[in-house]
Amino acid sequence: MKLRDRFGIFFAGLVAGAAAMPLAAHAQDGEALTGPAADYPIVLGEPYMIDGETFTPVDTMNYDRVGYVSADEDGSGGVTGAHKTLPLPSYVEVTSLETGRTILVRLERRGPMTTDRLLALSPGALVQLGASNGTPIRVRRVNPPEDHRAMLRQGGGAPLRMDTPASLVEVLKRRLPDAGSASLRDPRQDSVSGREPDAASIAAIDPSADLAKPPLQSLPVDAEADVNKAGEQADAGENPEPMAQSAEDENEPADPDLPKVDGGRFVVQLGAFSVRDNAERLAEKVEGFIISSGSLSLVRIGPFASREKAAQALAKLRSEGYRDALIQTAE
């Protein structure tokens, strides 16, 4: 076994073990965690390097990429996965770009320890997806129902998601790079590995363009419609709050009328931006604030004294079009 492979296996185990420690310690203080509390605390960790490339874990809500899968031979049972930068735990929909089959996966470990693979899946996840090492995939972060989360936490598998239409699969396959991965989101919000988008991508973007509904700029019009429609269908099943977007105001979400900010430890995070000017525009619009996380600017609202009040703000934000908003604990 190559030295790099040995290091990768050792490092993955080390990070996964460290990620599990806060949960185990918390459980020892009382009964085992159940329900939504079992997914907290969320662990990020420090930046690290693979093959000379730095990866910075970050809580990216609008994560949507295509790339290639690898087999996580050291993974636990159940339908789980390893990712380089998303929080642990978090949940993603993984779509095979060979068949269109889509499954829900719980991310529990860091990996894969190679730069040419986007995600590593446990044996159970590979079986459910019908995939093998090197299969092209789409990975999209989601907020699934609690009963589906519980199935994954208990070592089982959640119900299969809606298959991705063949026409959309063909569009997504055209976005695949020869190696590595590619974002399906606006480059201004591309925060994978904590890296800022390259200068050419930024220069090609109209700075006056709307930020709330990032376009897939390199897709044909009909393909862009397919991608947006698929995303809306998936969200509708997981976030039942109505979308208050009419034809007259579809270019920009309305200013949300949020619960009163009253201090506390809970905030609602709307997005992570590589370009600070874009974060400042959104923060001003929603009367929020910005904190820095590495090279990223995080837009947040709050703090709120209780999770219930934060949840009210979250529901309002999502109903106004901010579908990727997420409750966080203030630092």
Side-chain angles (χ1 to χ4, degrees):
M1 181 179 292
K2 295 182 179 179
L3 179 61
R4 191 193 72 182
D5 294 336
R6 292 178 178 175
F7 171 75
I9 293 174
F10 168 76
F11 183 80
L14 180 63
V15 173
M21 287 177 61
L23 292 173
H26 187 81
Q28 291 174 359
D29 294 337
E31 297 181 358
L33 294 173
T34 59
D39 286 328
Y40 292 93
I42 291 176
V43 176
L44 286 175
E46 298 299 321
Y48 60 96
M49 296 186 69
I50 300 175
D51 293 338
E53 183 174 350
T54 299
F55 292 88
T56 302
V58 63
D59 194 356
T60 306
M61 295 170 294
N62 55 352
Y63 187 92
D64 195 357
R65 288 183 82 86
V66 291
Y68 302 89
V69 72
S70 67
D72 189 0
E73 298 177 356
D74 297 316
S76 63
V79 181
T80 62
H83 192 273
K84 297 181 180 73
T85 60
L86 285 175
L88 304 177
S90 56
Y91 296 84
V92 293
E93 283 185 351
V94 181
T95 299
S96 166
L97 298 186
E98 291 181 346
T99 65
R101 174 176 287 190
T102 302
I103 66 173
L104 182 66
V105 174
R106 188 175 195 254
L107 301 181
E108 297 183 347
R109 300 171 296 282
R110 286 283 171 241
M113 294 302 155
T114 176
T115 57
D116 62 352
R117 292 291 187 264
L118 174 59
L119 185 73
L121 291 179
S122 66
L126 287 172
V127 169
Q128 189 181 40
L129 187 61
S132 59
N133 190 47
T135 295
I137 56 171
R138 178 189 189 182
V139 178
R140 177 175 176 267
R141 189 178 179 189
V142 294
N143 182 27
E146 170 55 25
D147 58 337
H148 292 180
R149 292 171 180 253
M151 293 176 184
L152 295 178
R153 285 196 299 264
Q154 294 165 8
L160 289 175
R161 326 309 273 178
M162 181 182 299
D163 282 357
T164 300
S167 59
L168 178 54
V169 169
E170 290 304 314
V171 171
L172 295 172
K173 287 169 70 173
R174 294 201 292 269
R175 301 293 299 272
L176 279 167
D178 293 334
S181 64
S183 177
L184 299 177
R185 306 295 293 188
D186 187 325
R188 290 169 295 187
Q189 294 180 316
D190 186 2
S191 58
V192 173
S193 302
R195 296 172 298 175
E196 294 187 4
D198 59 80
S201 296
I202 296 175
I205 299 172
D206 178 2
S208 64
D210 174 57
L211 298 179
K213 298 176 67 177
L216 298 175
Q217 296 179 332
S218 61
L219 291 181
V221 173
D222 57 342
E224 180 178 336
D226 286 342
V227 172
N228 291 338
K229 182 177 180 181
E232 289 168 2
Q233 289 175 343
D235 284 338
E238 297 152 5
N239 304 314
E241 297 87 0
M243 297 295 294
Q245 291 294 111
S246 66
E248 295 179 353
D249 63 358
E250 63 181 0
N251 291 327
E252 188 171 3
D255 293 325
D257 182 16
L258 300 175
K260 181 180 179 181
V261 174
D262 50 13
R265 57 190 295 264
F266 298 101
V267 297
V268 177
Q269 185 167 302
L270 281 79
F273 294 84
S274 296
V275 180
R276 188 173 178 86
D277 286 348
N278 297 332
E280 290 176 349
R281 288 172 56 189
L282 178 58
E284 180 178 1
K285 178 176 177 57
V286 298
E287 298 183 356
F289 63 95
I290 298 173
I291 67 168
S292 297
S293 176
S295 63
L296 301 175
S297 297
L298 311 181
V299 179
R300 293 179 170 180
I301 292 175
F304 301 97
S306 66
R307 180 173 288 275
E308 289 73 19
K309 288 189 176 181
Q312 293 175 19
L314 176 67
K316 182 63 177 178
L317 286 163
R318 286 182 173 172
S319 72
E320 296 293 348
Y322 299 95
R323 292 185 300 179
D324 294 320
L326 188 70
I327 295 176
Q328 298 280 13
T329 302
E331 298 173 353

